[in-house]
């Protein structure tokens, strides 16, 4: 872990050209889509007690007419990746993802999206279908570099674990200097995925970003407090 932190510091100190804003906040879509013909990859690590972590990967491709599609691999937890307990989100979930944006005016857009796939990939356990869908409004003020997003989500219990099957999403991002952002998001409810993350982001190069945040679970969430690290790559 120390070597990873040192590598992050090295990247931040070697900043070069500015990057475009990222396609996601920490756990919810930002409202900005991947440009047509371009790729966006995000790798997220959630770090808890010593030796406890989970990870997820997100790869999407920009399609014309405000549409993007891709694939996610969610809820990989080393040493605990064979659980079938519905109190927790299903492990090793491989899901296709699609998102469509409708521009309402220069600053406001409406997005709808879904993730749908199968659980327990590579665990030897039975695979089951799971999905999560959402709709959200996004407001982006280019002059002040501020983005605010909010909306609603609906899912089954295999995707989020035991608890609510619908709720709201909130997120915001403010670029306060040439290469640094403040960023946070929140998912309502009492599932394990119902958390808030507050932190920031740094443009390392024109196609690389590093994100860092502190994870705060909701009152009835089974999630623990932790740190969130993200790597974003795009062309």
């Amino acid at each position: 872990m120390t070597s990873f932190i040192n590598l992050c510091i090295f990247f931040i100190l070697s900043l070069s050209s500015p990057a475009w804003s990222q396609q996601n906040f920490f756990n919810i879509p930002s409202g900005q889509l991947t440009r047509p013909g371009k790729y966006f990859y995000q790798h997220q690590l959630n770090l808890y007690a010593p030796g406890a972590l989970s990870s997820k990967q997100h790869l999407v491709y920009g399609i014309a007419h405000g549409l993007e599609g891709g694939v996610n691999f969610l809820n990989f937890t080393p040493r605990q990746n064979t659980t079938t307990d519905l109190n927790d989100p299903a492990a090793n979930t491989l899901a296709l993802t699609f998102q469509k944006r409708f521009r309402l005016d220069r600053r406001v857009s409406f997005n709808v999206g879904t993730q749908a796939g199968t659980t327990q990939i590579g665990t030897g356990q039975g695979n089951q279908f799971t999905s999560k869908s959402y709709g959200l409004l996004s407001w982006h003020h280019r002059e002040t570099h501020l983005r605010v997003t909010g909306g609603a989500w609906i899912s089954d219990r295999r995707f989020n674990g035991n608890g609510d099957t619908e709720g709201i999403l909130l997120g915001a991002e403010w670029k306060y200097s040439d290469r640094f952002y403040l960023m946070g998001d929140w998912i309502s409810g009492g599932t394990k995925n119902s958390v808030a993350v507050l932190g920031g982001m740094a443009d390392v190069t024109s196609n690389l970003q590093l994100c860092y945040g502190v994870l705060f679970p909701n009152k009835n969430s089974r999630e623990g407090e932790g740190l969130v690290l993200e790597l974003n790559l795009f062309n």
Side-chain angles (χ1 to χ4, degrees), residues 49-199:
L53 63 88
S54 66
S55 74
K56 61 182 180 180
Q57 294 81 45
H58 176 68
L59 175 65
V60 294
Y61 176 76
I63 307 170
H65 309 297
L67 181 68
E68 68 177 17
V71 62
N72 292 348
F73 185 65
L74 309 171
N75 305 328
F76 176 71
T77 53
R79 305 177 188 175
Q80 301 176 7
N81 62 355
T82 60
T83 180
T84 57
D85 184 356
L86 278 181
N87 285 320
D88 292 339
N92 292 11
T93 294
L94 183 65
L96 296 177
T97 178
F98 295 94
Q99 186 176 185
K100 170 67 176 178
R101 180 178 62 194
F102 302 89
R103 284 221 178 260
L104 304 183
D105 64 23
R106 176 172 171 266
R107 294 176 178 172
V108 180
S109 61
F110 176 69
N111 292 37
V112 291
T114 189
Q115 300 176 53
T118 187
T119 67
Q120 305 290 344
I121 298 295
T123 66
Q125 306 292 325
N127 304 123
Q128 293 182 303
F129 177 80
T130 188
S131 68
K132 180 177 182 178
S133 298
Y134 58 85
L136 53 87
L137 281 172
S138 180
W139 178 82
H140 182 212
H141 194 269
R142 296 179 183 274
E143 291 76 12
T144 58
H145 305 288
L146 177 65
R147 181 183 297 274
V148 180
T149 298
W153 60 268
I154 183 170
S155 75
D156 58 41
R157 287 189 168 88
R158 285 183 287 275
F159 198 97
N160 280 325
N162 194 35
D164 305 87
T165 56
E166 66 278 325
I168 63 174
L169 306 168
L170 294 174
E173 168 189 284
W174 176 45
K175 187 176 182 180
Y176 64 90
S177 73
D178 285 345
R179 295 180 174 90
F180 292 95
Y181 305 70
L182 294 177
M183 187 169 66
D185 60 18
W186 174 67
I187 301 175
S188 74
T191 72
K192 192 167 184 179
N193 286 338
S194 299
V195 301
V197 181
L198 300 176

Side-chain angles (χ1 to χ4, degrees), residues 11 14-20 202-209 234:
F11 275 135
S14 61
L15 295 173
S16 60
S17 57
W20 300 101
D203 290 337
V204 179
T205 71
S206 60
N207 56 8
L208 170 64
Q209 294 171 323
F234 45 92

Side-chain angles (χ1 to χ4, degrees), residues 31-50:
Q32 180 176 0
L33 294 193
T34 305
R35 295 184 173 194
K38 304 296 183 180
Y39 290 92
F40 176 92
Y41 173 76
Q42 181 179 83
H43 193 127
Q44 177 175 316
L45 286 176
N46 290 359
L47 309 176
Y48 307 103

Side-chain angles (χ1 to χ4, degrees), residues 217-235:
N218 291 358
K219 181 179 179 180
N220 296 321
S221 173
R222 290 167 52 88
E223 186 64 286
E225 296 181 354
L227 299 176
V228 178
L229 300 176
E230 287 182 353
L231 172 70
N232 297 330
L233 296 172
F234 45 92
N235 62 351

